[in-house]
Amino acid sequence: MEQSLGESDAAIAAARTAHDLEPEDDQVSFGLAGVLVKNGQTAEVPSLLGVDPSDGAALLRKALTVGDNSVAAFCAELAHRLLPDDPKVADTLGEIYVREAAWSRAGAAFARAVAEAPQVATYHYHLALALKGSGHKDQAKAELLLALTCNPTDKERDAIRTTLARWGAPLE
C-alpha cells in the first residue's frame, strides 16, 4: 500500500480507513500493523494483533503466525526483550531474519540460542545456515559438525549430513 501511494502518511491513513471499515478482519488489522511497524509507529500494534505486549509467549506465537516479516520481527523482538534468556525466542527471531536475508542479524540471534542451549542441534544447524548466508563457509561447516555431536533427531541428522554433502564438507 505504501509503495503504491508513495507516502507513509497516506498509507497509514488508507490502512486506518480500511481498518475502520472492517475492524474484525484480521488481514486488514495485520495490514495496518505492517504499515505502522514499517513507519516506526508501533504503540498500537499489539492491540491490533490481539496480543498482550507484556506476554512474551503470546508475542512469540503471534510472530510465528503473522505473514508480514516486519510485523513478525516486531513481535519476536518484543518477545526477546521480555524473555532474553529463552533460546526458542532467539531461534524464532533468527528464523525471521533469515526470511529477510538479514544474515548477520540472524547469526547473532542464533548465536544467542546456541549460547543458551548449546546441546540443541537445531540451534547449531540454524546458526550454520546464517553463517553460510554471511559468507562464513568454514565456520558454517564447523557448526554443522558440532550439531552432529548434539544428539540430533534422525530427521535433523539427515538434514545436517545432506547440507554438509551439498557444501562439500567431510562428514567427520
Side-chain angles (χ1 to χ4, degrees), residues 20-32:
D20 289 345
L21 293 171
E22 297 290 336
E24 301 301 317
D25 186 323
D26 285 343
Q27 291 305 103
V28 172
S29 294
F30 293 161
L32 175 55

Side-chain angles (χ1 to χ4, degrees), residues 7-22:
E7 182 181 320
S8 62
D9 290 341
I12 291 170
R16 282 194 191 287
T17 299
H19 186 260
D20 289 345
L21 293 171
E22 297 290 336

Side-chain angles (χ1 to χ4, degrees), residues 61-74:
R61 284 190 301 275
K62 188 58 71 173
L64 292 167
T65 61
V66 173
D68 182 307
N69 281 342
S70 62
V71 176
F74 167 78

Side-chain angles (χ1 to χ4, degrees), residues 92-155:
T92 299
L93 187 54
E95 289 184 53
I96 292 165
Y97 291 151
V98 164
R99 291 193 307 233
E100 297 176 337
W103 299 111
S104 62
R105 293 173 77 190
F110 292 138
R112 285 191 301 272
V114 166
E116 292 297 326
Q119 73 285 3
V120 178
T122 300
Y123 301 155
H124 289 281
Y125 179 71
H126 289 164
L127 178 55
L129 296 177
L131 288 167
K132 176 79 162 54
S134 295
H136 302 287
K137 189 174 181 180
D138 291 339
Q139 288 174 309
K141 288 178 186 178
E143 202 63 41
L144 287 177
L145 292 171
L146 186 56
L148 285 174
T149 70
C150 294
N151 298 317
T153 65
D154 290 341
K155 184 177 177 181

